[in-house]
Amino acid sequence: MPLCFAPRDWQERFVRAYQTNLKKNFLLEACTSAGKTAGALHAFDSLKNVLDWRFLVVVVPAEHLMRQYAQDAFNLFGLNLSYSGTVRSIGRLPTPEELLQQDYHGLVVSYQWLTSSSNASLLFNDLSRTVSGKVFLILDEVHHASSDLAFGQACETAFPDRIISHRLMTSGTPFRSDNKRILGNWLTYRPVEENAYQCIPDFQYRLADALSDEIIPPFSFVTMEGEFAYRRGRAVYNGRTFTNATNVTVRIK
């Protein structure tokens, strides 16, 4: 373990849970500011030699986060990740073989990059040639990817089972407002009512835990004057404050 990284208690418990439950697909639910990035990288760093993971691929939900993720990986664990995406001088993404020869441990791309042109297929081809079966994949804030939409379809194209050794998916909110499943072939769902399903994380660290551990400061929601309407699922709430709001059930035909 790098000297510069001192894991939080929950991160240590998460990695122990991950080490004892090494399933192909693992979902970590952790609230904002809890340290999901460090927790996920800690899992990779602690097992990369034991499981012979030769290459790390991270997918993040925005272009500007690629550099930030790579910097965190280097500063916390000494991991060198390429994050520049398509290199103009060669007109493509460097291959895993090229990156390994330059002492990189892997690369960071975005969901947007994967959906551009034929990038998902090209990355699949590159991974299959040199590091097939030796890739550790982190899908950061995985709720952005649905199997019914472009982000999820690109992930399924680039990272099929025969290429990926293990997938670690992270999210602070493992659900979607459009009620579509998040990569339903890789995550576990249980039915909660007719045509409604709930995603089941393999490890949870929620807002109440972070407050109790004093990782985040106490906070409060302040209600404001004025009318409002709030919809959650089939229920619509109307009122001037949350305490006097009335609930109206909407039946969708």
Side-chain angles (χ1 to χ4, degrees):
M1 183 186 303
L3 296 177
C4 58
F5 178 67
R8 291 168 172 168
D9 176 71
W10 84 261
Q11 293 167 332
E12 201 66 84
R13 288 188 288 107
F14 154 64
V15 170
R16 286 199 299 269
Y18 186 75
Q19 291 171 339
T20 56
N21 185 22
L22 269 175
K23 52 195 297 190
K24 183 84 172 184
N25 301 306
F26 194 104
L27 174 60
L28 164 64
E29 177 188 351
C31 67
T32 300
S33 299
K36 289 191 295 295
T37 296
L41 290 169
H42 185 23
F44 170 75
D45 189 67
S46 65
L47 288 171
K48 66 180 186 296
N49 294 327
V50 176
L51 297 178
D52 194 25
W53 290 330
R54 293 189 55 210
F55 202 75
L56 170 63
V57 177
V58 181
V59 188
V60 295
E63 297 289 318
H64 72 276
L65 295 176
M66 295 192 299
R67 179 176 182 178
Q68 178 180 317
Y69 209 106
Q71 288 178 333
D72 287 344
F74 184 80
N75 292 336
L76 294 174
F77 297 95
L79 297 171
N80 196 15
L81 303 181
S82 173
Y83 60 86
S84 58
T86 301
V87 177
R88 291 183 181 180
S89 60
I90 59 176
R92 57 175 172 80
L93 189 75
T95 67
E97 184 177 17
E98 290 169 338
L99 290 173
L100 290 170
Q101 289 174 351
Q102 298 173 48
D103 295 325
Y104 283 97
H105 297 89
L107 60 87
V108 185
V109 297
S110 67
Y111 294 108
Q112 293 91 334
W113 182 88
L114 277 179
T115 61
S116 177
S117 185
S118 55
N119 284 342
S121 296
L122 293 172
L123 182 55
F124 160 75
N125 290 334
D126 287 343
L127 294 172
S128 64
R129 276 194 292 268
T130 55
V131 290
S132 182
K134 303 292 185 180
V135 179
F136 183 73
L137 174 66
I138 298 175
L139 295 176
D140 186 48
E141 302 295 358
V142 71
H143 56 269
H144 288 278
S146 165
S147 294
D148 294 334
L149 301 172
F151 284 2
Q153 292 168 0
C155 287
E156 291 174 344
T157 296
F159 311 120
D161 283 353
R162 64 182 180 275
I163 299 298
I164 303 302
S165 173
H166 292 80
R167 302 182 189 93
L168 174 57
M169 292 161 280
T170 72
S171 176
T173 54
F175 56 85
R176 292 178 56 87
S177 59
D178 59 11
N179 292 322
K180 294 183 181 296
R181 293 196 186 192
I182 309 165
L183 293 172
N185 294 328
W186 297 345
L187 299 183
T188 302
Y189 280 83
R190 69 181 177 195
V192 292
E193 58 182 74
E194 186 177 358
N195 296 322
Y197 298 84
Q198 180 182 12
C199 185
I200 309 300
D202 297 289
F203 187 94
Q204 290 179 307
Y205 187 76
R206 292 182 167 174
L207 195 62
D209 302 315
L211 282 168
S212 177
D213 292 342
E214 299 183 344
I215 289 176
I216 61 174
F219 61 89
S220 62
F221 293 100
V222 179
T223 58
M224 307 295 290
E225 294 284 338
E227 299 288 338
F228 77 91
Y230 171 68
R231 179 167 182 165
R232 183 178 179 87
R234 298 180 179 179
V236 175
Y237 299 85
N238 296 294
R240 295 182 65 86
T241 69
F242 284 103
T243 54
N244 72 7
T246 56
N247 173 275
V248 179
T249 301
V250 178
R251 297 188 179 276
I252 302 176
K253 296 181 180 181

